[in-house]
Amino acid sequence: MAAHFDRRLRKAAVTTTVAAVAVAALSASQAPDVTADGNGRQTTADNMPTSDTPPAESATGNSPYYTDLPPLNSPNPSPTTGTPSSRGSSEAGIPATVLDAYKKAESELRRAKPGCNLPWQLLAAIGKVESGQARGGRVDADGTTIGRIIGPQLDGNGFALIKDTDNGVYDGNSSYDNAVGPMQFIPSTWAWAGRDGNGDGKEDPNNVYDAALAAGHYLCRFDWDLSDQADLDRAILSYNNSQDYLNTVLSWLEHYRRGTHEIPDGTGSLPVGRSDDTNAGASPSPGRTGASTPPKAPGTTPSPDHSPSKPPSSGQPTDPGGPSTSPSTPPKDPTPPTETPTPPPTPTDTVHHLENAGTTGLTAIAGDTFAEEISARAETKAGKAVGKVRIRFTVLGDTDAAFTGGDKVAAVTTNASGVAVAPALVAGEQTGGFTVRATVIGRTVPGLDYKATVTERVADALTSTGETELTCTPGGEFAAPVQVKATLKGAVADKVAVTATLIKSEDDPTENDKGPYFKDADGTAVRTLTGLKTDAKGLLELPKLFADDAEGTYVLRLTTPGGGRLDITLNVAKAAEPTPDPSTEPSTAPEA
């Protein structure tokens, strides 16, 4: 994999002279002591930020990306309405729907995670590098790409090896994963990072609103502040772990910050240089000019392959075949190589395993926050606590539970006692079990799993808010609806499931086969209703009740999880005959 990244870096470094100059200038402005290592990667005297995100957990799986760099002259900022065609080239402009998705994602992240300071221009830079702004804005009215954008399969052949995780649902590949959509998420990452950005109830990596919001949350998933250059670099590298990728994204970020403009959907240009193009660097990209030799990294000097022989200093001719006329000078001892000192181990290097730091049971009612905290302790092989180690907590499984803020991944640094406490875990509406896994960031040690369970909402009491005894004539319908309120320990119990059953009697809870009934969607008589739920105020009004021809007294029983129960009496009887008024009756007395 390292060789693959080295190859990508070398190819991208010689794509064009203009590109290399821009990247070098940008890097130099951010880190004045830039040098280059033996593989052409730029480094600094201090350690450059690096990513500890493995390919399978990165956004893209370190898939190929577009290496084209922005024009040297940025357009002036312009309004998003009017005549965009008059404002610069389509290469520098951003399609209208795509631009709207980036700005909406920024707005949502500003609300959900204000400390992250995510700029929409960063999403635009990544979108440009990953898909050329959704292939020039080829999206429909809802922001879904016209045709799927799918990267090469990650089969380990020049790329990371990531076997299929989605049964080909997103990428159409049931053997290996591919990066998908305008922000190029791999399915395994989309499974926990996906978001619904356009409010249609779906999380679709092919939708630019969903993908942009997911990218924003992904970049803000740790305690990074993207207004800090080091954190910004780390976030970008976690998206795709390549120094050249970082430089390319930063160049577009700076370009968009200086100003951009909106262009109509579908009119944007698609980049031509890609990091896995074997011909990259053979000649400048179309539309760019300059010498074909890339500039040297700052701080380096020419190192020709063959140096000319140095002429003799004495000026005397030499005789290759005869004895030397000058005294022989013994060769100098070669300078012994300088050994690079081995750096001391970091705290992370000393971690041998993770231990549960006291979490015993994780159970919460749907919609509630788990009362117990999830905590893990990093320890050495000897069991000594290790502080200042970053622990990643990840929510796994088929669940909508998440940490505070809606994230399913959180990173926490261990304290002096070696303990990291995850953010509060919030149960969703989906009941059942799932797993939270703790892993050490930057070190391969077995993860530590915590089992969690979400149970359904409960109520311990049901009270009637309407009539407690209802009457109807045979074959008619009950005029008053059944209305109830659910509570738990006296407090409102919202979204609680209620079951309504017409039973034979208070002592026989089996379903009755005669008497009052409800109607289903087809108008068929039913005497048990499920799927009913109280509203935000704990209230529920049942559907209309009808009666057949059987007279009598019947019982409607309502129950909830948690023990709530209420019986409503239903009377089916003929209307009473009116009592005659004696004053209006004809007299039957005999005449005198």
Side-chain angles (χ1 to χ4, degrees):
M1 193 66 193
H4 167 57
F5 285 132
D6 291 347
R7 181 170 66 256
R8 285 166 59 174
L9 292 170
R10 288 196 296 270
K11 289 186 293 186
V14 296
T15 301
T16 67
T17 298
V18 174
V21 169
V23 171
L26 179 63
S27 299
S29 68
Q30 293 164 349
D33 299 324
V34 177
T35 59
D37 66 13
N39 293 316
R41 291 174 296 208
Q42 292 180 338
T43 61
T44 63
D46 297 324
N47 290 331
M48 287 287 289
T50 58
S51 171
D52 50 42
T53 306
E57 295 181 22
S58 69
T60 69
N62 298 331
S63 292
Y65 54 89
Y66 288 108
T67 59
D68 296 33
L69 291 176
L72 294 180
N73 296 321
S74 292
N76 293 324
S78 64
T80 56
T81 58
T83 56
S85 60
S86 65
R87 302 281 188 177
S89 68
S90 61
E91 180 183 10
I94 301 177
T97 299
V98 180
L99 179 60
D100 184 56
Y102 297 149
K103 291 185 175 181
K104 284 187 175 179
E106 180 201 51
S107 177
E108 171 61 21
L109 265 298
R110 189 183 297 119
R111 180 196 65 79
K113 298 182 179 180
C116 181
N117 293 308
L118 172 80
W120 67 261
Q121 292 92 340
L122 176 59
L123 297 176
I126 291 176
K128 180 70 174 182
V129 171
E130 292 296 345
S131 68
Q133 311 297 18
R135 292 187 300 209
R138 289 163 178 81
V139 297
D140 63 19
D142 296 323
T144 302
T145 59
I146 300 173
R148 292 191 296 180
I149 304 173
I150 300 178
Q153 70 176 13
L154 300 173
D155 57 4
N157 184 20
F159 307 110
L161 174 59
I162 304 177
K163 293 187 177 180
D164 175 64
T165 60
D166 66 330
N167 294 319
V169 171
Y170 293 120
D171 53 18
N173 188 341
S174 59
S175 297
Y176 301 95
D177 271 351
N178 306 60
V180 178
M183 302 303 278
Q184 287 289 276
F185 277 96
I186 54 174
S188 57
T189 300
W190 183 260
W192 57 262
R195 293 291 191 282
D196 176 15
N198 61 351
D200 63 357
K202 298 183 294 183
E203 297 173 355
D204 183 2
N206 299 293
N207 182 278
V208 70
Y209 287 98
D210 294 1
L213 184 58
H217 276 281
Y218 181 89
L219 294 164
C220 293
R221 69 196 187 282
F222 295 149
D223 55 352
W224 287 328
D225 176 0
L226 301 187
S227 64
D228 176 80
Q229 187 64 48
D231 280 355
L232 175 64
D233 291 351
R234 292 186 186 97
I236 297 171
L237 286 169
S238 76
Y239 209 92
N240 193 316
N241 195 7
S242 161
Q243 191 68 36
D244 182 66
Y245 180 86
L246 170 65
N247 290 335
T248 306
V249 170
L250 288 174
S251 66
W252 280 104
L253 170 60
E254 182 63 22
H255 176 77
Y256 289 137
R257 276 176 166 164
R258 290 199 301 267
T260 186
H261 58 280
E262 176 187 297
I263 60 174
D265 289 345
T267 63
S269 62
L270 191 65
V272 295
R274 222 171 67 161
S275 60
D276 63 336
D277 182 2
T278 56
N279 294 319
S283 60
S285 298
R288 301 188 187 279
T289 60
S292 60
T293 303
K296 295 178 289 295
T300 61
T301 56
S303 179
D305 294 335
H306 301 285
S307 300
S309 299
K310 186 176 180 180
S313 58
S314 63
Q316 297 176 349
T318 58
D319 181 4
S324 173
T325 59
S326 60
S328 175
T329 302
K332 295 181 180 179
D333 293 334
T335 303
T338 302
E339 294 186 2
T340 303
T342 303
T346 65
T348 302
D349 295 332
T350 68
V351 176
H352 177 266
H353 61 273
L354 290 175
E355 286 287 343
N356 187 327
T359 304
T360 56
L362 292 169
T363 302
I365 297 172
D368 288 355
T369 299
F370 283 78
E372 188 166 4
E373 297 177 328
I374 301 175
S375 56
R377 184 172 57 253
E379 296 184 354
T380 64
K381 188 174 183 179
K384 183 178 179 181
V386 185
K388 298 183 179 180
V389 174
R390 298 189 76 199
I391 306 297
R392 178 186 292 116
F393 296 94
T394 306
V395 178
L396 304 173
D398 184 15
T399 181
D400 55 353
F403 296 115
T404 302
D407 290 324
K408 292 198 174 184
V409 177
V412 182
T413 302
T414 59
N415 59 21
S417 299
V419 175
V421 180
L425 185 64
V426 181
E429 295 302 321
Q430 186 172 339
T431 60
F434 63 95
T435 299
V436 177
R437 178 169 297 165
T439 54
V440 179
I441 297 176
R443 184 160 177 79
T444 304
V445 297
L448 182 61
D449 287 351
Y450 302 80
K451 300 299 181 182
T453 303
V454 177
T455 60
E456 58 186 338
R457 294 172 183 260
V458 298
D460 57 15
L462 281 171
T463 56
S464 175
T465 59
E467 299 293 334
T468 57
E469 187 170 332
L470 304 177
T471 302
C472 177
T473 58
E477 62 182 53
F478 290 84
V482 176
Q483 298 173 321
V484 297
K485 181 177 182 179
T487 56
L488 178 63
K489 297 180 180 179
V492 167
D494 63 324
K495 299 181 182 178
V496 174
V498 178
T499 299
T501 307
L502 289 150
I503 60 177
K504 291 185 176 180
S505 70
E506 291 184 358
D507 298 326
D508 185 357
T510 57
E511 182 182 283
N512 211 334
D513 56 0
K514 62 181 180 179
Y517 61 90
F518 300 102
K519 288 183 180 180
D520 64 12
D522 298 326
T524 305
V526 294
R527 290 185 168 86
T528 297
L529 291 181
T530 59
L532 304 171
K533 284 192 175 183
T534 61
D535 62 15
K537 297 180 179 180
L539 300 175
L540 171 66
E541 181 175 302
L542 270 61
K544 184 175 291 187
L545 273 165
F546 302 87
D548 60 16
D549 294 333
E551 295 185 66
T553 299
Y554 301 92
V555 177
L556 170 63
R557 175 163 291 175
L558 307 175
T559 58
T560 68
R565 177 177 138 177
L566 176 65
D567 287 345
I568 304 261
T569 301
L570 305 175
N571 293 314
V572 180
K574 292 181 181 179
E577 295 288 340
T579 302
D581 185 352
S583 64
T584 62
E585 291 292 322
S587 176
T588 58
E591 295 181 1

